[in-house]
Amino acid sequence: MGASVVPCSMFQVHVPGSRSRSTHWCVTFKVSAQVPIGRTHMRTLILDDEEPIVHMLALVCEKQGHTVMPFTDSTDALIRLASAPIDLLITDMHMPGPDGVAVIKEARRLQPDLFTLIITGHTGSYPIAELMADGTADIMFKPFHMNELRARLALAERRRTLIAGMNAEKAALHAVSKEMILGLQQELQARKRG
Amino acid sequence: MRTLTLILDDELPIVNMLSRVCEQEGHQVRPFMRASEALQCLAEEPVDLLITDMCMPESDGVTVTKEAWRLRPDLYVLIITGHAGMFPVEHLLAGGHADIMFKPFRLNEFRARLDLARRRRDLIARLTAETRALHQISHDRIQELQRELEGR
């Protein structure tokens, strides 16, 4: 049996028979652009200094299947952020104490790939572009409709699944390649000894 | 490279306004008022971003987006809508390559969404490139080891 390596998204390796056996790996990877629609268990931290807003946001998130951590005080929210990872941060910008900018910066320092939904008014002078990071952020302007909130939650879930899928593909490719290379190296060493 | 952006809306003043902002942001713009012509353009040109209205007389945004994704599954779409309850918007968001903007919107929101589209496309492109590079490096190393095995 001859050796062959097929490029593209599939590795196919046939090691020439040695010691009466051949080794064969065949791995395929594919990232689907279509992520299934369904409720996910997002751990969502909600921060707004107005309690009725927090209550309303929490209600909608819970209906979407999120596990919600509601806060009206940004210092308390920062303490929670430091204690365990979350999946989504929904935060207002204008608050007493540390504002939305400070909270997002600290949250990103703790979790660089954290998804955020920034809620802001049109008149604010916050450095929004700076907070958009590498595409893991979204923004919602006040006043907003419930339909918009639901759509943005759905979008955050899809994007998170998409990015997680791509990262998982990369990690799996790395693991399998490493194993294949190690297998071939061992085979080569065994032959050198034999 | 400039972002090639296709704009589709049945109202000329809206198309003109969206086009002007996109051009100010450095995009190359293809403006359309008819869905059939927009889809023809999508089939022929390497469009990076589709901005489409939902409610149009000839065709609706759902149909256009679905057809656009059939032609180009990785196309980023910004859907503009004023009637969220009337369209199955959630189904359009399945792939994660989409954003939505509700009417009435302000220009600073539109600019923010263009900026988000660029960042999200860059993130996907970076992850794709990293995986491709990893594949190539692994593939080369495996071939090298196999040549060694065959040579012995």
Side-chain angles (χ1 to χ4, degrees):
Chain A
M1 192 190 293
S4 67
V5 174
V6 181
C8 80
S9 62
M10 184 172 77
F11 282 122
Q12 198 164 42
V13 179
H14 299 274
V15 177
S18 61
R19 292 178 293 170
S20 73
R21 72 179 176 90
S22 65
T23 314
H24 175 213
W25 291 270
C26 176
V27 184
T28 56
F29 295 97
K30 194 171 186 295
V31 173
S32 170
Q34 294 298 310
V35 179
I37 295 174
R39 288 183 170 186
T40 58
H41 290 285
M42 300 259 281
R43 294 163 298 177
T44 302
L45 192 148
I46 296 169
L47 173 60
D48 196 299
D49 60 317
E50 290 180 61
E51 202 168 335
I53 306 268
V54 171
H55 184 71
M56 177 271 290
L57 292 170
L59 208 70
V60 176
C61 286
E62 277 167 358
K63 276 190 182 165
Q64 302 269 115
H66 296 212
T67 302
V68 172
M69 290 150 266
F71 288 92
T72 51
D73 184 287
S74 48
T75 308
D76 291 345
L78 284 168
I79 292 168
R80 171 60 188 81
L81 278 168
S83 70
I86 59 165
D87 300 312
L88 175 65
L89 166 66
I90 302 177
T91 182
D92 190 22
M93 280 283 116
H94 187 66
M95 292 173 289
D99 64 5
V101 177
V103 171
I104 291 168
K105 284 187 175 167
E106 178 59 10
R108 289 243 176 82
R109 193 186 64 76
L110 294 162
Q111 270 186 264
D113 57 349
L114 179 66
F115 276 73
T116 51
L117 174 55
I118 299 162
I119 300 177
T120 185
H122 283 277
T123 51
S125 55
Y126 296 100
I128 297 299
E130 216 180 280
L131 300 174
M132 291 300 183
D134 63 355
T136 52
D138 196 0
I139 190 162
M140 188 163 67
F141 289 91
K142 292 179 189 175
F144 56 87
H145 193 277
M146 282 301 103
N147 281 335
E148 173 160 15
L149 174 60
R150 287 192 197 100
R152 302 225 168 277
L153 292 176
L155 276 168
E157 287 180 23
R158 306 293 186 277
R159 283 195 200 105
R160 188 171 154 268
T161 312
L162 178 74
I163 301 301
M166 293 186 83
N167 280 323
E169 182 206 22
K170 208 170 75 178
L173 178 61
H174 183 258
V176 171
S177 308
K178 204 173 150 186
E179 196 183 323
M180 286 166 65
I181 289 166
L182 194 69
L184 287 166
Q185 283 170 336
Q186 283 170 350
E187 187 78 26
L188 202 60
Q189 278 171 6
R191 288 196 194 182
K192 277 178 186 168
R193 282 198 299 270
Chain B
M1 214 163 101
R2 290 172 77 188
T3 304
L4 181 58
T5 300
L6 193 155
I7 294 170
L8 173 62
D9 198 301
D10 58 312
E11 291 178 63
L12 186 61
I14 305 271
V15 171
N16 286 340
M17 182 269 288
L18 296 173
S19 299
R20 200 176 61 245
V21 176
C22 284
E23 279 166 356
Q24 282 168 357
E25 298 295 319
H27 295 215
Q28 202 178 342
V29 176
R30 298 280 183 274
F32 291 97
M33 291 175 66
R34 296 174 71 94
S36 54
E37 290 170 7
L39 288 169
Q40 181 69 29
C41 173
L42 265 174
E44 290 168 0
E45 291 199 73
V47 174
D48 300 302
L49 170 64
L50 165 65
I51 300 172
T52 179
D53 188 24
M54 265 290 164
C55 191
M56 292 174 285
E58 187 195 297
S59 178
D60 63 79
V62 176
T63 310
V64 169
T65 305
K66 282 185 175 168
E67 180 59 16
W69 275 340
R70 196 186 63 76
L71 293 165
R72 299 269 311 281
D74 59 346
L75 182 69
Y76 190 95
V77 183
L78 173 57
I79 298 151
I80 301 176
T81 181
H83 312 279
M86 287 172 64
F87 292 95
V89 170
E90 278 234 340
H91 292 278
L92 290 179
L93 309 178
H97 291 292
D99 196 2
I100 193 161
M101 187 165 68
F102 290 86
K103 291 179 189 173
F105 58 87
R106 296 199 190 188
L107 289 190
N108 64 341
E109 172 163 11
F110 182 49
R111 286 202 176 91
R113 303 225 167 273
L114 290 179
D115 182 42
L116 276 172
R118 180 183 57 78
R119 288 168 194 265
R120 288 171 184 155
R121 286 178 48 243
D122 286 352
L123 174 63
I124 299 290
R126 179 173 63 76
L127 287 172
T128 306
E130 282 173 5
T131 303
R132 198 170 292 149
L134 178 62
H135 188 281
Q136 190 59 51
I137 291 164
S138 307
H139 172 255
D140 291 350
R141 180 67 183 136
I142 288 162
Q143 266 199 330
E144 187 188 333
L145 285 166
Q146 284 191 312
R147 272 197 300 270
E148 261 192 78
L149 270 172
E150 281 179 326
R152 292 187 68 87

